[in-house]
Amino acid sequence: MLTQKSVNIPYGTVIRLIAKNGEEHYWMIWWLEQIKTTGYHRYVVLKMNYEIEWYTDQGTQRQWSYFSTPGTKMVRDTAISAGALFNENNSLMMFITPYSKDFERETYIETTNGEKKSSYRVLEFDNQATPGISYLTVESIPLKDFTPPPTKTDKDDDADFFWLQGGKA
């Protein structure tokens, strides 16, 4: 993305663009490529392809993210050359997101793509390589069910809650 030299956009800023057909697209400022001989800034941007959500003490958090799979090696190599300190196993997946202090190992992340939900566990994270950016190495895990168990009422029989009582009726 080209801008005038007077424009300074912080890394990790997500920009929403609306196409002529009304579709929304989100792009994140990844870093600034300094070109001294020109009269403009050249920002390297990533098109955000997933909205992720995770859970903290403050409730559910959401933000746009770029999801890199083993097949997107170019993005992974670019991140490594930028100094990102994440697990470099090419069989793993990675989210590149705006910085969040909430990410840590074992953070549970969910994504929704149409009707399909997927979940991931953070294996490693790097919040230092690029200011304003979080790199998350993740692995796919089964979806968690956060539905609370039913509450027993006076009308319920103990046999109705057999499994909720550890198999003791």
Side-chain angles (χ1 to χ4, degrees):
M1 180 174 81
L2 301 177
T3 67
Q4 296 175 351
K5 284 222 181 224
S6 61
V7 175
N8 290 308
I9 305 171
Y11 299 168
T13 300
V14 176
I15 300 168
R16 180 179 73 143
L17 299 176
I18 302 173
K20 288 182 181 179
N21 64 3
E23 286 184 12
E24 293 184 359
H25 300 277
Y26 295 87
W27 295 81
M28 181 179 70
I29 303 297
W30 197 3
W31 79 76
L32 172 63
E33 188 175 337
Q34 300 272 346
I35 304 173
K36 305 256 187 230
T37 60
T38 64
Y40 56 85
H41 284 320
R42 181 174 182 258
Y43 286 97
V44 177
V45 296
L46 281 176
K47 184 176 182 186
M48 305 285 92
N49 53 5
Y50 280 90
E51 187 174 27
I52 63 173
E53 67 179 43
W54 68 100
Y55 308 95
T56 67
D57 295 339
Q58 293 78 36
T60 302
Q61 308 295 318
R62 286 183 181 84
Q63 72 183 21
W64 283 95
S65 179
Y66 178 81
F67 184 55
S68 172
T69 61
T72 52
K73 189 168 176 9
M74 181 191 77
V75 171
R76 183 177 305 271
D77 291 346
T78 304
I80 292 168
S81 69
L85 306 171
F86 57 86
N87 191 340
E88 296 180 33
N89 182 336
N90 283 334
S91 66
L92 296 177
M93 299 163 281
M94 175 178 63
F95 285 104
I96 303 173
T97 72
Y99 170 80
S100 173
K101 63 179 175 31
D102 297 325
F103 294 124
E104 55 189 41
R105 287 187 180 115
E106 303 298 320
T107 298
Y108 175 76
I109 295 174
E110 284 186 1
T111 63
T112 304
N113 189 1
E115 296 293 317
K116 184 181 178 202
K117 273 194 156 201
S118 300
S119 59
Y120 305 89
R121 176 174 61 103
V122 174
L123 299 174
E124 298 289 336
F125 67 96
D126 177 5
N127 289 331
Q128 298 175 355
T130 309
I133 306 288
S134 291
Y135 298 92
L136 311 172
T137 302
V138 298
E139 72 176 345
S140 183
I141 61 171
L143 283 166
K144 291 184 179 180
D145 184 359
F146 292 105
T147 307
T151 305
K152 186 175 175 184
T153 64
D154 293 337
K155 296 185 231 175
D156 292 321
D157 185 338
D158 281 345
D160 295 336
F161 288 82
F162 179 78
W163 293 111
L164 297 175
Q165 298 171 12
K168 300 174 188 160

